[in-house]
Amino acid sequence: MNYTVYYIVHLLTMFSIYAILGVSLNLVVGYTGLVSVTQAAFYGIGAYATALIAKTAGFGFFSSMLIGVIVAGLIGLLIGLVLSKFRDDYYVIVTVGFNIIAYGIFMNWHSLTRGPLGIVAVPRPKIDFLGLHLDFNNNLLFLALVLVFLALIYFLARFIAKSSFGRVLKAIREDEKAIQVFGYNAFYFKLAIFVISAGMAAVAGSFFASYLRFTSPNTFVLMESVLILSMIILGGLANLKGSLLGAFILVLLPELMRFVGFPNEIAAEMRQIVYGVILVLLMIYKPSGIMGEYKL
Amino acid sequence: MKNDKNIIEVKNLVKHFGGVYAVNDLSLKIPRGEVVSIIGPNGSGKSTLVNLLSGMVEINSGVVILNDAEKLKKIKSYEIQDLSITRTFQEVRLFEQMTVIDNLLVVLTNRSVFGSFFEVHKKYHLEEVERMLQRVGLEAKKNQLAKNLSYGQRKLLEIARALLMKTEIYLFDEPFAGLFHAMIKTVSGIIKDLRKEGKTVILIEHNMDLIRELSDYVFVMDEGSLLAEGEPDSVLKKKSVIEAYLGK
């Protein structure tokens, strides 16, 4: 694979991982109106669960991913139970707290996570089934696999958004007290979508750890959650295509910076500034985001 | 009061917000199948009573008895559908960033998480919504966002949403406020139809002509308590009622 193809495949892989994160968070923020800033925690849980289970227990990638999704879902359930006590600004602050706690655990539980050293040599997926042998050490094949999962998650999210369940989520977003009068216990609906979203984010984490063959706490900091949230606000809330667009912009922006002449070492930092400016302008001129169907 | 069977009885109901008693030791009986109006000056506790009956605010003390049998000291808002109660709000509460049709379809949805997840709205759901939109004259607006409707249209949509619940008890909190003549006719027609169907309507209203036209019985509240009750013509002539509205 020549360098240009390798580079494009890398960008598309990162886009796909962020797109999964964006789609998962949009279900919570865009469709249900719960401003959560803890998606990086579930992303991290997926990454660590896959890395640890695949390395220590010798499970295959897909089994490890499944366990990661279940673990993230269970932790999402616990966090969701706590979050049900909070609303609006307090809800946001508590989600921030959970991300900080998750980062603290990734960083300080040395015996499990190796702390700042992270976990190395995370295996790539392999398929050996009915005479089919696929080794995803090849980045192009790995990209194809992530795209398949992105498509699955996108269509699952679309199914949710268009279902009666999705319609109730939107009503909760619009007026939780009013929808309850019509016989819906909003608590269970909010909990369900939070758990589903956590599980989806864990899928992104599994792919991330396997793609880089490494995972460390620094990827799952609070800023990462802010970035994922910004991405869906930019692309558009309550619009799944908007999540894809947001992820596309997020991944391509630093690369564009490089092409317009910013040195590599400051391109990443400039990305944050340019991204911030875009968000401020968007909030002034189009607060629902580029393709959004809901305004916070 | 023609009917001696009560669908709702309120006994010694109290609701206070800090030191302010919005409903103070209120007792009243609402007969089944009638249109009962609750009137009184602003701040007399009418809307708080509706909020208590619909579980929007917690009861401090007292009891609500349904059908002369079921005694409730607590009412949860998401359980009032099971009690066959629905309501509209004094300040219209729609699902603003949803379409008109979705505002109605949402109340026809399966109430459980799993049930709603795999539910597909059937043709009869859509037909029912279309019929309701025609009844309130909003069929041309069905694909618009609720937030883009005029004030009167918003009120009508809220009433349509309540009607789709097909309950026994309808709590209408000032449904005529801010409506044009044609819309008032539509809503009063709906209330008359509900009475014909044997439903119970609890109406909070300030327009005395509409109260006379629609009500079988009237309760007058003042400062959270019951000031008077009776048939509209006799109650509205009482000196204490006139004084409560106009001042002594």
Side-chain angles (χ1 to χ4, degrees):
Chain A
M1 205 187 292
N2 72 36
Y3 181 76
T4 310
V5 175
Y6 181 87
Y7 175 64
I8 291 169
V9 167
H10 168 71
L11 289 182
L12 288 174
T13 306
M14 291 312 294
F15 154 74
S16 306
I17 290 170
Y18 276 105
I20 292 172
L21 289 168
V23 166
S24 70
L25 188 62
N26 214 339
L27 289 174
V28 173
V29 182
Y31 287 93
T32 321
L34 303 169
V35 182
S36 168
V37 197
T38 195
Q39 208 67 355
F42 299 117
Y43 181 33
I45 290 165
Y48 272 99
T50 301
L52 287 167
I53 294 162
K55 278 200 72 180
T56 56
F59 279 39
F61 172 83
F62 295 104
S63 318
S64 310
M65 177 200 267
L66 181 64
I67 294 169
V69 168
I70 293 168
V71 170
L74 289 174
I75 293 171
L77 183 71
L78 290 175
I79 295 175
L81 284 170
V82 177
L83 285 171
S84 68
K85 311 268 178 214
F86 300 94
R87 279 171 204 278
D88 306 324
D89 300 350
Y90 293 101
Y91 186 96
V92 180
I93 292 165
V94 177
T95 61
V96 166
F98 278 122
N99 202 136
I100 292 168
I101 292 168
Y103 172 73
I105 292 170
F106 298 146
M107 186 63 112
N108 295 305
W109 193 351
H110 287 258
S111 59
L112 185 72
T113 64
R114 289 178 15 108
L117 298 174
I119 297 169
V120 292
V122 181
R124 285 278 181 98
K126 272 185 190 157
I127 293 177
D128 264 317
F129 187 67
L130 296 174
L132 183 71
H133 305 288
L134 289 174
D135 186 346
F136 293 93
N137 278 312
N138 177 317
N139 280 359
L140 195 58
L141 265 183
F142 189 88
L143 168 63
L145 185 66
V146 186
L147 282 172
V148 167
F149 272 80
L150 170 60
L152 288 174
I153 283 173
Y154 181 88
F155 285 109
L156 173 61
R158 191 165 169 268
F159 173 80
I160 290 171
K162 288 189 179 296
S163 69
S164 296
F165 174 75
R167 194 182 285 115
V168 177
L169 294 182
K170 285 188 207 167
I172 290 170
R173 175 191 77 191
E174 294 300 311
D175 192 334
E176 186 176 333
K177 281 194 167 180
I179 191 64
Q180 296 228 124
V181 165
F182 298 101
Y184 299 93
N185 190 340
F187 167 79
Y188 293 115
F189 284 85
K190 290 194 294 185
L191 198 57
I193 199 63
F194 197 77
V195 169
I196 291 169
S197 169
M200 288 176 172
V203 171
S206 298
F207 278 117
F208 181 76
S210 176
Y211 177 58
L212 294 187
R213 298 184 169 95
F214 171 71
T215 187
S216 76
N218 288 338
T219 311
F220 313 113
V221 290
L222 180 63
M223 260 320 282
E224 191 72 4
S225 287
V226 173
L227 211 63
I228 301 163
L229 179 65
S230 310
M231 191 172 85
I232 61 166
I233 292 173
L234 177 66
L237 290 170
N239 185 316
L240 296 171
K241 288 187 189 113
S243 305
L244 304 186
L245 180 66
F248 193 72
I249 295 170
L250 175 88
V251 173
L252 284 195
L253 198 65
E255 311 309 317
L256 288 174
M257 295 284 197
R258 244 173 251 166
F259 285 120
V260 295
F262 283 105
N264 279 353
E265 53 276 16
I266 63 162
E269 280 70 26
M270 282 305 293
R271 174 185 74 166
Q272 308 278 356
I273 294 169
V274 172
Y275 208 67
V277 170
I278 292 172
L279 276 176
V280 170
L281 291 175
L282 209 65
M283 286 303 105
I284 295 170
Y285 296 107
K286 202 170 184 309
S288 57
I290 298 168
M291 299 172 80
E293 291 171 25
Y294 163 61
K295 197 168 77 176
L296 276 172
Chain B
M1 205 179 288
K2 297 162 206 161
N3 192 342
D4 59 356
K5 284 191 176 164
N6 301 313
I7 195 160
I8 297 178
E9 181 180 354
V10 163
K11 264 191 180 171
N12 309 111
L13 206 61
V14 174
K15 179 65 197 177
H16 57 84
F17 299 97
V20 179
Y21 280 76
V23 170
N24 191 3
D25 200 26
L26 181 74
S27 296
L28 50 83
K29 292 176 179 177
I30 293 169
R32 174 183 289 278
E34 294 190 4
V35 177
V36 173
S37 290
I38 300 174
I39 65 169
N42 287 332
S44 59
K46 308 180 298 290
S47 289
T48 304
L49 174 61
V50 166
N51 286 338
L52 288 166
L53 293 175
S54 58
M56 295 289 284
V57 292
E58 258 183 57
I59 298 169
N60 290 131
S61 66
V63 66
V64 175
I65 303 168
L66 294 180
N67 299 309
D68 291 321
E70 197 173 354
K71 289 187 181 179
L72 304 163
K73 288 186 176 173
K74 267 187 182 177
I75 298 175
K76 287 181 179 155
S77 59
Y78 55 85
E79 288 173 353
I80 68 164
Q81 185 218 7
D82 299 331
L83 303 172
S84 206
I85 300 174
T86 193
R87 67 167 294 172
T88 65
F89 298 89
Q90 186 180 5
E91 297 288 331
V92 182
R93 294 178 82 154
L94 295 173
F95 308 120
E96 304 286 347
Q97 299 185 64
M98 290 168 68
T99 60
V100 166
I101 202 163
D102 273 352
N103 263 269
L104 299 184
L105 274 175
V106 75
V107 301
L108 298 177
T109 299
N110 193 306
R111 261 64 182 171
S112 77
V113 169
F114 288 108
S116 64
F117 205 96
F118 297 105
E119 181 184 55
V120 180
H121 274 297
K122 297 184 177 68
K123 203 178 161 200
Y124 67 81
H125 279 140
L126 294 165
E127 283 172 357
E128 204 171 346
V129 166
E130 295 273 352
R131 263 200 307 278
M132 189 56 71
L133 285 172
Q134 272 175 14
R135 190 173 178 189
V136 297
L138 290 177
E139 65 270 36
K141 306 282 179 185
K142 67 179 181 184
N143 293 319
Q144 283 198 18
L145 292 180
K147 68 177 180 181
N148 294 333
L149 298 180
S150 70
Y151 183 76
Q153 290 166 340
R154 292 161 60 75
K155 282 248 165 192
L156 290 171
L157 180 58
E158 207 187 34
I159 290 165
R161 188 175 63 181
L163 291 179
L164 282 175
M165 295 293 290
K166 294 182 180 158
T167 54
E168 287 301 313
I169 303 166
Y170 292 82
L171 311 173
F172 287 146
D173 196 348
E174 301 194 22
F176 298 102
L179 295 190
F180 296 119
H181 181 70
M183 289 176 173
I184 288 175
K185 234 176 131 181
T186 304
V187 177
S188 60
I190 286 169
I191 292 173
K192 284 173 186 169
D193 287 346
L194 287 172
R195 180 169 42 193
K196 273 186 213 157
E197 291 164 22
K199 309 290 185 188
T200 306
V201 177
I202 299 173
L203 181 65
I204 294 181
E205 189 45 54
H206 288 291
N207 184 324
M208 297 303 160
D209 292 333
L210 286 167
I211 287 165
R212 280 194 187 89
E213 182 190 337
L214 297 170
S215 316
D216 297 300
Y217 203 77
V218 176
F219 290 100
V220 186
M221 285 182 72
D222 190 26
E223 294 182 353
S225 303
L226 195 62
L227 181 69
E229 63 178 293
E231 294 192 357
D233 282 331
S234 64
V235 164
L236 295 176
K237 283 178 192 159
K238 282 186 181 173
K239 197 181 165 199
S240 58
V241 174
I242 295 166
E243 280 179 359
Y245 263 99
L246 303 174
K248 290 179 187 175

Short mmCIF file of all heavy atoms in Angstrom, two decimals, chain B residues 78-123:
data_model
loop_
_atom_site.label_atom_id
_atom_site.label_comp_id
_atom_site.label_asym_id
_atom_site.label_seq_id
_atom_site.Cartn_x
_atom_site.Cartn_y
_atom_site.Cartn_z
N TYR B 78 -47.45 9.54 35.29
CA TYR B 78 -47.46 8.52 34.24
C TYR B 78 -48.46 7.40 34.51
O TYR B 78 -48.59 6.49 33.70
CB TYR B 78 -46.05 7.96 34.00
CG TYR B 78 -45.37 7.41 35.23
CD1 TYR B 78 -45.60 6.11 35.65
CD2 TYR B 78 -44.49 8.19 35.97
CE1 TYR B 78 -44.98 5.61 36.77
CE2 TYR B 78 -43.86 7.69 37.10
CZ TYR B 78 -44.11 6.40 37.49
OH TYR B 78 -43.49 5.91 38.60
N GLU B 79 -49.13 7.50 35.67
CA GLU B 79 -50.14 6.48 35.97
C GLU B 79 -51.56 6.97 35.70
O GLU B 79 -52.51 6.19 35.79
CB GLU B 79 -50.02 6.04 37.44
CG GLU B 79 -48.77 5.20 37.67
CD GLU B 79 -48.52 4.89 39.14
OE1 GLU B 79 -49.23 5.44 40.01
OE2 GLU B 79 -47.59 4.12 39.40
N ILE B 80 -51.74 8.26 35.36
CA ILE B 80 -53.12 8.76 35.23
C ILE B 80 -53.83 8.17 34.02
O ILE B 80 -55.04 8.10 33.99
CB ILE B 80 -53.21 10.31 35.24
CG1 ILE B 80 -52.58 10.92 33.99
CG2 ILE B 80 -52.65 10.89 36.52
CD1 ILE B 80 -53.00 12.38 33.80
N GLN B 81 -53.06 7.71 33.05
CA GLN B 81 -53.69 7.04 31.91
C GLN B 81 -54.41 5.77 32.39
O GLN B 81 -55.51 5.47 31.94
CB GLN B 81 -52.61 6.68 30.88
CG GLN B 81 -53.18 6.10 29.62
CD GLN B 81 -52.31 5.00 29.06
OE1 GLN B 81 -51.34 4.56 29.67
NE2 GLN B 81 -52.66 4.54 27.88
N ASP B 82 -53.78 5.07 33.32
CA ASP B 82 -54.41 3.86 33.87
C ASP B 82 -55.65 4.21 34.71
O ASP B 82 -56.51 3.36 34.91
CB ASP B 82 -53.41 3.09 34.75
CG ASP B 82 -52.20 2.64 33.96
OD1 ASP B 82 -52.36 2.43 32.74
OD2 ASP B 82 -51.11 2.53 34.53
N LEU B 83 -55.68 5.44 35.22
CA LEU B 83 -56.85 5.87 36.00
C LEU B 83 -57.92 6.47 35.08
O LEU B 83 -58.92 6.99 35.53
CB LEU B 83 -56.43 6.93 37.04
CG LEU B 83 -55.34 6.50 38.03
CD1 LEU B 83 -54.88 7.69 38.89
CD2 LEU B 83 -55.84 5.38 38.93
N SER B 84 -57.64 6.41 33.77
CA SER B 84 -58.53 6.93 32.74
C SER B 84 -58.73 8.45 32.86
O SER B 84 -59.84 8.96 32.74
CB SER B 84 -59.87 6.19 32.75
OG SER B 84 -60.44 6.27 31.47
N ILE B 85 -57.63 9.13 33.11
CA ILE B 85 -57.64 10.60 33.20
C ILE B 85 -56.69 11.15 32.15
O ILE B 85 -55.60 10.61 31.95
CB ILE B 85 -57.16 11.08 34.60
CG1 ILE B 85 -58.06 10.54 35.70
CG2 ILE B 85 -57.09 12.60 34.67
CD1 ILE B 85 -57.58 10.84 37.13
N THR B 86 -57.08 12.22 31.50
CA THR B 86 -56.15 12.97 30.66
C THR B 86 -56.40 14.46 30.85
O THR B 86 -57.37 14.84 31.50
CB THR B 86 -56.24 12.55 29.18
OG1 THR B 86 -55.12 13.09 28.48
CG2 THR B 86 -57.52 13.06 28.52
N ARG B 87 -55.54 15.26 30.27
CA ARG B 87 -55.67 16.69 30.55
C ARG B 87 -55.08 17.55 29.43
O ARG B 87 -54.32 17.08 28.58
CB ARG B 87 -54.96 17.04 31.84
CG ARG B 87 -53.44 16.88 31.78
CD ARG B 87 -52.75 17.53 32.96
NE ARG B 87 -52.93 18.99 32.92
CZ ARG B 87 -52.59 19.82 33.88
NH1 ARG B 87 -52.04 19.34 35.00
NH2 ARG B 87 -52.75 21.12 33.75
N THR B 88 -55.45 18.84 29.48
CA THR B 88 -54.73 19.86 28.72
C THR B 88 -54.15 20.84 29.74
O THR B 88 -54.46 20.75 30.92
CB THR B 88 -55.66 20.62 27.74
OG1 THR B 88 -56.62 21.34 28.52
CG2 THR B 88 -56.36 19.67 26.78
N PHE B 89 -53.34 21.77 29.25
CA PHE B 89 -52.64 22.66 30.18
C PHE B 89 -53.07 24.11 29.97
O PHE B 89 -53.39 24.51 28.85
CB PHE B 89 -51.13 22.55 29.96
CG PHE B 89 -50.59 21.18 30.24
CD1 PHE B 89 -50.54 20.22 29.25
CD2 PHE B 89 -50.15 20.84 31.50
CE1 PHE B 89 -50.06 18.94 29.50
CE2 PHE B 89 -49.66 19.56 31.78
CZ PHE B 89 -49.61 18.61 30.77
N GLN B 90 -53.02 24.87 31.07
CA GLN B 90 -53.35 26.30 30.97
C GLN B 90 -52.40 26.99 29.98
O GLN B 90 -52.83 27.69 29.08
CB GLN B 90 -53.25 26.92 32.36
CG GLN B 90 -53.72 28.35 32.42
CD GLN B 90 -53.60 28.92 33.83
OE1 GLN B 90 -53.09 28.28 34.75
NE2 GLN B 90 -54.05 30.14 34.00
N GLU B 91 -51.10 26.79 30.18
CA GLU B 91 -50.11 27.24 29.20
C GLU B 91 -49.86 26.04 28.30
O GLU B 91 -49.36 25.02 28.77
CB GLU B 91 -48.80 27.62 29.90
CG GLU B 91 -48.90 28.78 30.86
CD GLU B 91 -49.09 30.12 30.16
OE1 GLU B 91 -48.61 30.23 29.01
OE2 GLU B 91 -49.72 31.00 30.74
N VAL B 92 -50.17 26.17 27.03
CA VAL B 92 -50.12 25.02 26.11
C VAL B 92 -48.75 24.34 26.18
O VAL B 92 -47.72 25.00 26.12
CB VAL B 92 -50.40 25.47 24.66
CG1 VAL B 92 -50.41 24.29 23.71
CG2 VAL B 92 -51.71 26.21 24.59
N ARG B 93 -48.78 23.01 26.32
CA ARG B 93 -47.51 22.25 26.35
C ARG B 93 -47.54 21.22 25.23
O ARG B 93 -48.07 20.13 25.38
CB ARG B 93 -47.35 21.56 27.70
CG ARG B 93 -47.17 22.55 28.83
CD ARG B 93 -47.05 21.87 30.15
NE ARG B 93 -45.71 21.39 30.39
CZ ARG B 93 -45.20 21.22 31.62
NH1 ARG B 93 -45.93 21.46 32.68
NH2 ARG B 93 -43.98 20.78 31.78
N LEU B 94 -46.95 21.62 24.11
CA LEU B 94 -46.85 20.70 22.97
C LEU B 94 -45.42 20.20 22.87
O LEU B 94 -44.53 20.72 23.54
CB LEU B 94 -47.24 21.42 21.68
CG LEU B 94 -48.70 21.89 21.59
CD1 LEU B 94 -48.88 22.74 20.35
CD2 LEU B 94 -49.65 20.70 21.56
N PHE B 95 -45.21 19.23 22.02
CA PHE B 95 -43.85 18.78 21.72
C PHE B 95 -43.40 19.63 20.53
O PHE B 95 -43.63 19.28 19.36
CB PHE B 95 -43.85 17.28 21.46
CG PHE B 95 -44.52 16.52 22.56
CD1 PHE B 95 -45.63 15.72 22.33
CD2 PHE B 95 -44.07 16.65 23.88
CE1 PHE B 95 -46.27 15.05 23.36
CE2 PHE B 95 -44.69 15.98 24.92
CZ PHE B 95 -45.80 15.19 24.66
N GLU B 96 -42.82 20.78 20.88
CA GLU B 96 -42.67 21.90 19.93
C GLU B 96 -41.89 21.56 18.66
O GLU B 96 -42.26 21.97 17.58
CB GLU B 96 -41.98 23.07 20.62
CG GLU B 96 -42.68 23.57 21.88
CD GLU B 96 -43.95 24.35 21.58
OE1 GLU B 96 -44.16 24.71 20.42
OE2 GLU B 96 -44.73 24.58 22.54
N GLN B 97 -40.79 20.81 18.82
CA GLN B 97 -39.94 20.55 17.65
C GLN B 97 -40.29 19.19 17.03
O GLN B 97 -39.42 18.49 16.51
CB GLN B 97 -38.47 20.62 18.04
CG GLN B 97 -38.08 22.00 18.58
CD GLN B 97 -36.61 22.14 18.87
OE1 GLN B 97 -35.78 22.06 17.97
NE2 GLN B 97 -36.25 22.33 20.12
N MET B 98 -41.55 18.86 17.14
CA MET B 98 -42.08 17.66 16.45
C MET B 98 -43.25 18.10 15.57
O MET B 98 -43.89 19.12 15.85
CB MET B 98 -42.56 16.63 17.48
CG MET B 98 -41.43 15.99 18.26
SD MET B 98 -41.99 15.04 19.70
CE MET B 98 -42.84 13.67 18.93
N THR B 99 -43.52 17.32 14.56
CA THR B 99 -44.61 17.70 13.65
C THR B 99 -45.96 17.53 14.36
O THR B 99 -46.07 16.82 15.37
CB THR B 99 -44.62 16.83 12.38
OG1 THR B 99 -44.81 15.48 12.79
CG2 THR B 99 -43.35 16.98 11.58
N VAL B 100 -46.98 18.15 13.78
CA VAL B 100 -48.34 18.05 14.32
C VAL B 100 -48.76 16.58 14.39
O VAL B 100 -49.27 16.10 15.40
CB VAL B 100 -49.31 18.87 13.43
CG1 VAL B 100 -50.75 18.54 13.73
CG2 VAL B 100 -49.04 20.37 13.63
N ILE B 101 -48.49 15.85 13.32
CA ILE B 101 -48.91 14.44 13.27
C ILE B 101 -48.16 13.61 14.33
O ILE B 101 -48.75 12.75 14.99
CB ILE B 101 -48.75 13.87 11.83
CG1 ILE B 101 -49.65 12.65 11.66
CG2 ILE B 101 -47.34 13.55 11.46
CD1 ILE B 101 -49.89 12.28 10.21
N ASP B 102 -46.89 13.91 14.54
CA ASP B 102 -46.12 13.18 15.56
C ASP B 102 -46.60 13.54 16.97
O ASP B 102 -46.53 12.70 17.87
CB ASP B 102 -44.63 13.47 15.42
CG ASP B 102 -43.97 12.52 14.44
OD1 ASP B 102 -44.63 11.56 14.00
OD2 ASP B 102 -42.79 12.74 14.10
N ASN B 103 -47.06 14.77 17.16
CA ASN B 103 -47.61 15.16 18.46
C ASN B 103 -48.81 14.30 18.83
O ASN B 103 -49.09 14.08 20.01
CB ASN B 103 -48.05 16.63 18.44
CG ASN B 103 -46.99 17.55 19.01
OD1 ASN B 103 -46.98 17.83 20.20
ND2 ASN B 103 -46.05 17.98 18.16
N LEU B 104 -49.51 13.83 17.81
CA LEU B 104 -50.68 12.98 18.07
C LEU B 104 -50.31 11.50 18.08
O LEU B 104 -50.75 10.75 18.94
CB LEU B 104 -51.77 13.25 17.03
CG LEU B 104 -52.32 14.69 17.01
CD1 LEU B 104 -53.45 14.81 16.01
CD2 LEU B 104 -52.82 15.11 18.39
N LEU B 105 -49.49 11.10 17.11
CA LEU B 105 -49.11 9.68 17.03
C LEU B 105 -48.43 9.21 18.32
O LEU B 105 -48.58 8.06 18.73
CB LEU B 105 -48.17 9.45 15.85
CG LEU B 105 -48.81 9.19 14.50
CD1 LEU B 105 -47.76 9.10 13.41
CD2 LEU B 105 -49.65 7.91 14.51
N VAL B 106 -47.69 10.13 18.95
CA VAL B 106 -46.91 9.72 20.12
C VAL B 106 -47.81 9.21 21.25
O VAL B 106 -47.40 8.32 22.01
CB VAL B 106 -45.97 10.87 20.59
CG1 VAL B 106 -46.71 11.97 21.31
CG2 VAL B 106 -44.87 10.33 21.48
N VAL B 107 -49.03 9.72 21.35
CA VAL B 107 -49.87 9.23 22.45
C VAL B 107 -50.60 7.92 22.09
O VAL B 107 -51.27 7.35 22.93
CB VAL B 107 -50.89 10.29 22.94
CG1 VAL B 107 -50.19 11.55 23.41
CG2 VAL B 107 -51.94 10.60 21.90
N LEU B 108 -50.42 7.47 20.85
CA LEU B 108 -51.01 6.18 20.47
C LEU B 108 -49.98 5.05 20.54
O LEU B 108 -50.24 3.92 20.19
CB LEU B 108 -51.56 6.26 19.04
CG LEU B 108 -52.69 7.27 18.82
CD1 LEU B 108 -53.09 7.31 17.36
CD2 LEU B 108 -53.89 6.92 19.68
N THR B 109 -48.78 5.42 21.03
CA THR B 109 -47.68 4.47 21.05
C THR B 109 -47.77 3.53 22.25
O THR B 109 -48.27 3.92 23.29
CB THR B 109 -46.35 5.27 21.14
OG1 THR B 109 -46.27 6.10 20.00
CG2 THR B 109 -45.15 4.38 21.19
N ASN B 110 -47.23 2.33 22.06
CA ASN B 110 -47.11 1.38 23.16
C ASN B 110 -46.35 2.03 24.32
O ASN B 110 -45.34 2.69 24.11
CB ASN B 110 -46.33 0.16 22.64
CG ASN B 110 -46.43 -1.00 23.57
OD1 ASN B 110 -46.12 -0.89 24.74
ND2 ASN B 110 -46.87 -2.12 23.04
N ARG B 111 -46.83 1.84 25.54
CA ARG B 111 -46.25 2.54 26.70
C ARG B 111 -44.96 1.91 27.22
O ARG B 111 -44.23 2.54 27.98
CB ARG B 111 -47.28 2.60 27.83
CG ARG B 111 -48.02 3.91 27.92
CD ARG B 111 -48.86 4.16 26.71
NE ARG B 111 -49.55 5.44 26.74
CZ ARG B 111 -50.21 5.94 25.72
NH1 ARG B 111 -50.25 5.30 24.56
NH2 ARG B 111 -50.81 7.11 25.82
N SER B 112 -44.66 0.68 26.86
CA SER B 112 -43.45 0.05 27.40
C SER B 112 -42.27 0.30 26.47
O SER B 112 -42.45 0.51 25.26
CB SER B 112 -43.66 -1.44 27.58
OG SER B 112 -43.57 -2.09 26.34
N VAL B 113 -41.07 0.24 27.04
CA VAL B 113 -39.85 0.46 26.25
C VAL B 113 -39.76 -0.58 25.14
O VAL B 113 -39.59 -0.24 23.96
CB VAL B 113 -38.60 0.41 27.17
CG1 VAL B 113 -37.33 0.36 26.34
CG2 VAL B 113 -38.58 1.61 28.10
N PHE B 114 -39.89 -1.85 25.50
CA PHE B 114 -39.74 -2.91 24.49
C PHE B 114 -40.87 -2.89 23.48
O PHE B 114 -40.66 -3.07 22.28
CB PHE B 114 -39.64 -4.28 25.18
CG PHE B 114 -38.34 -4.47 25.88
CD1 PHE B 114 -38.28 -4.45 27.26
CD2 PHE B 114 -37.16 -4.63 25.16
CE1 PHE B 114 -37.07 -4.60 27.92
CE2 PHE B 114 -35.95 -4.77 25.82
CZ PHE B 114 -35.90 -4.76 27.20
N GLY B 115 -42.06 -2.66 24.00
CA GLY B 115 -43.22 -2.61 23.10
C GLY B 115 -43.08 -1.52 22.06
O GLY B 115 -43.35 -1.74 20.87
N SER B 116 -42.64 -0.36 22.50
CA SER B 116 -42.53 0.77 21.57
C SER B 116 -41.36 0.60 20.61
O SER B 116 -41.37 1.09 19.49
CB SER B 116 -42.37 2.08 22.33
OG SER B 116 -41.16 2.09 23.05
N PHE B 117 -40.33 -0.15 21.07
CA PHE B 117 -39.14 -0.34 20.24
C PHE B 117 -39.48 -1.05 18.93
O PHE B 117 -39.00 -0.68 17.87
CB PHE B 117 -38.12 -1.18 21.04
CG PHE B 117 -36.71 -0.97 20.61
CD1 PHE B 117 -35.90 -0.07 21.28
CD2 PHE B 117 -36.17 -1.66 19.55
CE1 PHE B 117 -34.59 0.14 20.89
CE2 PHE B 117 -34.87 -1.47 19.15
CZ PHE B 117 -34.07 -0.56 19.83
N PHE B 118 -40.33 -2.06 19.05
CA PHE B 118 -40.61 -2.87 17.86
C PHE B 118 -41.98 -2.57 17.25
O PHE B 118 -42.44 -3.27 16.36
CB PHE B 118 -40.50 -4.36 18.20
CG PHE B 118 -39.11 -4.74 18.62
CD1 PHE B 118 -38.80 -4.98 19.94
CD2 PHE B 118 -38.09 -4.80 17.68
CE1 PHE B 118 -37.51 -5.29 20.34
CE2 PHE B 118 -36.78 -5.11 18.06
CZ PHE B 118 -36.50 -5.36 19.39
N GLU B 119 -42.63 -1.53 17.75
CA GLU B 119 -43.96 -1.22 17.26
C GLU B 119 -43.90 -0.48 15.92
O GLU B 119 -43.08 0.42 15.74
CB GLU B 119 -44.68 -0.33 18.27
CG GLU B 119 -46.09 0.03 17.85
CD GLU B 119 -46.72 1.00 18.84
OE1 GLU B 119 -46.12 2.05 19.09
OE2 GLU B 119 -47.78 0.69 19.36
N VAL B 120 -44.77 -0.89 15.06
CA VAL B 120 -44.92 -0.15 13.81
C VAL B 120 -46.32 0.43 13.84
O VAL B 120 -47.28 -0.29 14.12
CB VAL B 120 -44.76 -1.08 12.58
CG1 VAL B 120 -44.94 -0.30 11.29
CG2 VAL B 120 -43.42 -1.78 12.61
N HIS B 121 -46.44 1.73 13.58
CA HIS B 121 -47.78 2.32 13.59
C HIS B 121 -48.60 1.74 12.46
O HIS B 121 -48.18 1.73 11.31
CB HIS B 121 -47.71 3.84 13.48
CG HIS B 121 -47.54 4.47 14.80
ND1 HIS B 121 -48.47 4.37 15.79
CD2 HIS B 121 -46.53 5.20 15.32
CE1 HIS B 121 -48.06 5.00 16.87
NE2 HIS B 121 -46.87 5.51 16.61
N LYS B 122 -49.76 1.26 12.84
CA LYS B 122 -50.60 0.62 11.83
C LYS B 122 -51.45 1.67 11.13
O LYS B 122 -51.53 2.81 11.56
CB LYS B 122 -51.46 -0.44 12.51
CG LYS B 122 -50.60 -1.54 13.12
CD LYS B 122 -51.44 -2.63 13.71
CE LYS B 122 -50.55 -3.74 14.24
NZ LYS B 122 -49.77 -3.32 15.41
N LYS B 123 -52.08 1.19 10.04
CA LYS B 123 -52.88 2.10 9.23
C LYS B 123 -53.96 2.77 10.06
O LYS B 123 -54.23 3.96 9.91
CB LYS B 123 -53.50 1.29 8.08
CG LYS B 123 -53.87 2.13 6.89
CD LYS B 123 -54.42 1.25 5.80
CE LYS B 123 -55.23 2.11 4.83
NZ LYS B 123 -56.14 1.30 4.05
#
